[in-house]
């Protein structure tokens, strides 16, 4: 992989978040805003100078080729890794997420590509991990079990037999649903999903997409990574494209079609989208 | 916006499958099977040597059990995180020796003061070993096996250096304390049993325990939900060390002196108890009740063999057989589950 040089003509705003893509979103407010985010692992520049606005209440799809830096970007937002440089703004205020706890406390919940569930724990234990309900400083298992049942029912996750099943015994789609439900349970304002449908069959994919719509209809902002452009155009209100570690384009989904998206993913450039949506040379 | 609905509200969701045939669930429960086997072993010995079932012999077994169980408890926590603590045997010796030296210096004071200081010193040494273990794991980046192997060797060596190989002190007052006072229990034994009970509740009913399992199951997932993995790992090694320190004090009281080899080999018996008790060595899954039953089983097998006039040299062979049986049973049950 040949590293593209640091783009110098990028409109880096130093004065906090702004609607830099000029897509005329009007009243929509920006929930999360990234400015000049870079992350390197030793000599490897995983992401460089990323500027992205995640609009409140909308579903933003983050797309890009394998190794484009999508997972690294969301792990930076989630506090798994500190950015090497750059600024993150949450509702207009600069934040510093040093640990995953910082992010979850703000209301950012992330469902990682590798799901991050504990196989040896059951569904309830996973749902409440790190947020256990206690009574007289002992775990309140009954309360947690009832609430888990209710939440899964609310989200129409009906395929699990018992919430006391070990997560190890669940199918890929069920695990995905549990991971998403956990993000929802924590009263999150932003749910980040890293390739939620990657390992799923047709009907399970449909279920997860439905789940994303359910989140959106509850007013939760969603940032979803996907390789499946059909899925992307089905659920996304906005699209952001990464190419070789940079964010090359972002804007309302209506401005993109499959051909332009493919072109952006593979080359980082497209003449089919309005130039104002391109952030890289 | 909150979508967490009132949890007490009746849910039409399928009830957890609790009604499944109770005896099948009981038989699938490793702790229950272990208990059955332990009772069978006891009955076998008692049938052959009636004195085995006497209160006096029970009392001896309780005392022996108390030199092992807390090590098993600490090891259960450590193994639940996916680690291992090889240093506990050395820690028993070292804390007993250092405690004995401290108590020698205080010999003219009241017995209560002497023993209290001894206990504090023993626990302090145990905590110190636990801190060193976690420092080796976190800062020297050693895997737990190697880190605790280092402290195991260092501890055993220090014991010999400090004592020159001979036991320190002669405290008959301490020995007297380990004589059963309440039925078959001495006061220190009651304390140890109480600690075991609390540790069991703590492991299975507290957030600390839940975090312990989460770290052993998937450390990344634990970190991602905001659990401080390093702190959790440090805590369990410190806990294991402290429990080894308490055991060191108990063994000191039993012997009336700090012997440099008092805990030699105990780490392996403790790990055996955890494995026989049904824990997974890869972490994430363990039952403290299993460890406790297994510790009792190992205790009565050891003393039962003596009653049967079997050379004590066979003791380790017997423990090895128990481990092999338990591990095989676990593996068979696992493959049965997977193929069903
Ligand atoms: N922990 C790490 N250490 C070193 N390099 C890393 C690390 N994580 C990711 N990278 C590198 O960063 C780049 C971006 O990886 P990332 O996982 O973000 O890709 P991605 O866009 O999520 O791809 P995919 O679609 O395959 O998941 C890759 O070149 C990868 O090798
Ligand atoms: Mg990825």
């Amino acid at each position: 992989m040949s590293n593209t040089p640091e783009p110098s003509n990028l409109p880096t705003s130093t004065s906090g978040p702004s609607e830099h893509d000029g897509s005329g979103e009007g009243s929509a407010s920006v929930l999360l805003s990234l400015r000049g985010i870079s992350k390197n692992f030793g000599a490897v520049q995983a992401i460089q100078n990323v500027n992205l606005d995640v609009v409140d209440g909308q579903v933003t799809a983050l797309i890009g080729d394998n190794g484009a830096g999508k997972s690294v970007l969301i792990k930076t937002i989630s506090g798994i890794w500190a950015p090497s440089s750059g600024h993150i703004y949450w509702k207009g205020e600069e934040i510093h997420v040093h640990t995953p706890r910082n992010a979850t406390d703000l209301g950012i919940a992330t469902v990682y590509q590798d799901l991050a569930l504990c196989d040896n724990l059951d569904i309830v234990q996973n749902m409440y991990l790190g947020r256990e309900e206690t009574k007289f400083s002992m775990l309140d298992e009954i309360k947690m079990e009832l609430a888990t049942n209710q939440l899964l029912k609310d989200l129409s996750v009906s395929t699990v037999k018992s919430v006391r099943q070990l997560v190890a015994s669940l199918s890929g789609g069920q695990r995905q649903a549990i991971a998403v439900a956990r993000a929802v349970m924590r009263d999150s304002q932003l749910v980040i999903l890293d390739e939620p449908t990657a390992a799923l069959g047709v009907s399970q994919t449909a279920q997860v997409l439905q789940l994303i719509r359910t989140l959106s209809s509850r007013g939760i902002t969603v940032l979803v990574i996907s390789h499946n452009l059909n899925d992307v155009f089905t659920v996304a209100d906005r699209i952001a494209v990464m190419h070789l570690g940079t964010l090359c384009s972002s804007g309302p989904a209506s401005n993109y079609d499959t051909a332009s998206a493919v072109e952006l993913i593979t080359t980082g450039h497209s003449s089919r989208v309005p130039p104002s949506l391109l952030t890289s040379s | 916006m909150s979508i967490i609905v009132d949890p007490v509200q009746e849910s039409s969701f399928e009830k957890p499958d609790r009604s499944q045939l109770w005896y099948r669930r009981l038989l699938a429960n490793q702790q229950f099977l272990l208990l059955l086997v332990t009772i069978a072993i006891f009955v076998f010995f008692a049938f052959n040597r009636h004195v085995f079932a006497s209160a006096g012999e029970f009392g001896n077994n309780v005392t022996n059990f108390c030199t092992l169980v807390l090590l098993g408890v600490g090891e259960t926590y450590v193994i639940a995180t996916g680690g291992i603590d090889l240093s506990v045997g050395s820690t028993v010796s070292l804390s007993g020796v250092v405690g004995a030296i401290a108590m020698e210096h205080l010999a003219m004071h009241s017995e209560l003061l002497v023993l209290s200081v001894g206990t504090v010193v023993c626990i302090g040494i145990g905590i110190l070993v636990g801190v060193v273990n976690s420092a080796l794991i976190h800062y020297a980046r050693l895997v737990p096996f190697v880190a605790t192997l280092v402290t195991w060797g260092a501890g055993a060596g220090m014991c010999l250096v400090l004592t020159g190989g001979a036991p320190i002190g002669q405290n008959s007052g301490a020995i007297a304390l380990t004589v059963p006072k309440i039925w078959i229990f001495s006061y220190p034994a009651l304390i140890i049993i109480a600690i075991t009970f609390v540790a069991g509740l703590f492991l299975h009913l507290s957030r600390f325990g839940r975090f312990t399992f989460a770290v052993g199951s998937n450390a990344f997932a634990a970190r991602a939900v905001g659990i401080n993995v390093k702190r959790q790992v440090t805590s369990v090694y410190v806990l294991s060390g402290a429990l080894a320190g308490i055991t060191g004090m108990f063994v000191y009281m039993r012997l009336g002196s700090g012997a440099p080899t008092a805990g030699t080999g105990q780490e392996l018996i403790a790990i055996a108890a955890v494995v026989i008790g049904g824990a997974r060595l890869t972490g994430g899954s363990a039952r403290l009740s299993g460890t406790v039953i297994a510790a009792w089983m190992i205790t009565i097998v050891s003393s039962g063999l003596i009653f049967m006039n079997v050379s004590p040299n066979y003791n380790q062979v017997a423990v090895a057989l128990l481990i092999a049986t338990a591990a095989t049973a676990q593996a068979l049950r696992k493959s049965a589950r997977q193929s069903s």
Side-chain angles (χ1 to χ4, degrees), chain B residues 233-245:
Chain B
V233 168
T234 303
S235 306
V236 297
Y237 283 93
V238 168
L239 177 68
S240 177
L243 293 174

Side-chain angles (χ1 to χ4, degrees), chain A:
Chain A
M1 170 186 136
S2 71
N3 257 342
T4 43
E6 184 99 7
S8 51
N9 57 342
L10 219 147
T12 37
S13 109
T14 45
S15 58
S18 64
E19 284 285 297
H20 73 276
D21 56 28
S23 54
E25 210 60 46
S27 59
S29 63
V30 176
L31 182 62
L32 177 83
S33 191
L34 309 178
R35 284 297 172 270
I37 298 288
S38 301
K39 172 70 193 171
N40 46 292
F41 298 99
V44 181
Q45 273 278 345
I47 53 175
Q48 300 147 48
N49 206 1
V50 168
N51 297 317
L52 174 67
D53 289 326
V54 177
V55 177
D56 201 6
Q58 302 208 339
V59 178
T60 302
L62 184 60
I63 59 179
D65 216 343
N66 292 116
K70 306 180 296 296
S71 297
V72 171
L73 183 66
I74 60 122
K75 283 182 177 171
T76 308
I77 301 172
S78 318
I80 298 285
W81 290 313
S84 307
S85 62
H87 304 272
I88 303 178
Y89 302 86
W90 177 254
K91 296 176 182 169
E93 297 202 7
E94 176 153 22
I95 54 166
H96 301 276
V97 277
H98 301 295
T99 66
R101 185 95 213 181
N102 295 154
T104 50
D105 285 349
L106 282 169
I108 302 174
T110 308
V111 179
Y112 297 98
Q113 198 162 8
D114 33 22
L115 283 177
L117 296 174
C118 290
D119 273 359
N120 301 122
L121 300 186
D122 67 31
I123 294 176
V124 177
Q125 293 169 340
N126 267 287
M127 289 285 271
Y128 276 90
L129 196 58
R131 296 290 167 94
E132 289 80 2
E133 297 281 356
T134 54
K135 195 174 177 180
F136 311 119
S137 75
M138 299 241 215
L139 297 170
D140 190 346
E141 296 287 355
I142 297 187
K143 182 173 178 188
M144 292 193 278
E145 183 171 332
L146 289 174
T148 302
N149 272 331
Q150 186 63 51
L151 178 64
L152 294 184
K153 192 176 145 231
D154 285 355
L155 295 177
S156 315
V157 178
S158 52
T159 57
V160 295
K161 269 205 235 97
S162 155
V163 290
R164 287 299 177 186
Q165 253 175 298
L166 294 188
V167 160
S169 70
L170 297 179
S171 77
Q174 288 171 330
R175 286 157 157 265
Q176 199 68 53
I178 297 308
V180 174
R182 178 168 77 179
V184 173
M185 159 131 74
R186 295 175 184 210
D187 243 350
S188 312
Q189 298 173 58
L190 172 62
V191 172
I192 303 175
L193 305 166
D194 194 350
E195 300 196 27
T197 58
L200 304 186
V202 178
S203 70
Q204 293 197 329
T205 297
Q207 275 173 27
V208 170
L209 295 182
Q210 186 54 49
L211 201 49
I212 293 174
R213 278 194 215 94
T214 308
L215 301 193
S216 186
S217 69
R218 288 167 184 271
I220 299 173
T221 308
V222 179
L223 178 62
V224 55
I225 297 178
S226 180
H227 280 291
N228 187 324
L229 291 180
N230 283 334
D231 295 357
V232 168
F233 286 107
T234 315
V235 296
D237 303 310
R238 295 176 64 85
I239 285 178
V241 192
M242 288 193 77
H243 178 67
L244 299 179
T246 61
L247 194 102
C248 59
S249 175
S250 69
S254 53
N255 291 338
Y256 299 84
D257 57 22
T258 310
S260 59
V262 168
E263 201 179 350
L264 282 165
I265 289 170
T266 50
T267 68
H269 194 84
S270 171
S271 50
R272 296 153 170 270
V273 295
S276 62
L277 302 187
L278 299 176
T279 52
S280 179
S281 58

